[in-house]
Amino acid sequence: QVQLVESGGGLVQAGGSLRLACAASGRLFSTYIMGWFRQAPGKEREFVATISRDGGNTYYAGSVKGRFTISRDNAENTVYLQMNSLKPEDTAVYFCAADQRYSGIYFETREYEYDYWGQGTQVTVSS
């Protein structure tokens, strides 16, 4: 069982930046595809960003591309989400997730394919 713990959320003004971190337990972190998702009040959870096992491939939702950057440090068992130029519509609970499937794919955008989830961290962007 993998435990994921997010941190770094908070309140920020529009145009500001935040860096989220997600620390994973265990020794198999480098074998997981990692992803970030978010859920705004009254809305379904949506894909934000994903990163391949070695960090060499990334993919973003159109709404965050160019503003958010996903990265990982396999030595520290941690995945990050750097969020710049934040907008009020980025307000949501942000979740990290791990996909443990061993396959030829580099990254994953489909929520149902992820096996482990963190508890989430709140990001609030004021206008």
Side-chain angles (χ1 to χ4, degrees):
Q1 186 78 8
V2 176
Q3 292 187 335
L4 303 173
V5 179
E6 301 98 335
S7 61
L11 173 64
V12 63
Q13 288 188 333
S17 298
L18 281 175
R19 189 192 195 202
L20 305 183
C22 172
S25 64
R27 297 181 295 175
L28 299 178
F29 179 75
S30 63
T31 68
Y32 303 143
I33 291 171
M34 297 299 295
W36 284 97
F37 293 77
R38 67 186 181 185
Q39 186 167 21
K43 296 186 177 181
E44 294 186 351
R45 190 156 55 185
E46 65 175 2
F47 165 77
V48 174
T50 180
I51 189 167
S52 59
R53 298 172 185 86
D54 65 356
N57 292 275
T58 59
Y59 187 81
Y60 300 90
S63 58
V64 307
K65 192 173 183 179
R67 300 188 297 123
F68 290 11
T69 302
I70 187 171
S71 62
R72 67 190 296 165
D73 184 339
N74 286 343
E76 295 295 328
N77 276 20
T78 303
V79 62
Y80 301 96
L81 186 68
Q82 177 67 44
M83 305 186 294
N84 298 330
S85 302
L86 282 161
K87 304 175 182 180
E89 50 264 44
D90 294 318
T91 295
V93 177
Y94 283 72
F95 300 89
C96 71
D99 176 354
Q100 67 176 355
R101 291 175 299 159
Y102 190 78
S103 66
I105 62 172
Y106 291 114
F107 46 71
E108 182 58 67
T109 64
R110 296 170 293 185
E111 179 179 347
Y112 61 84
E113 293 290 2
Y114 283 83
D115 303 289
Y116 304 105
W117 292 83
Q119 81 289 349
T121 185
Q122 177 70 47
V123 171
T124 303
V125 185
S126 63
S127 57

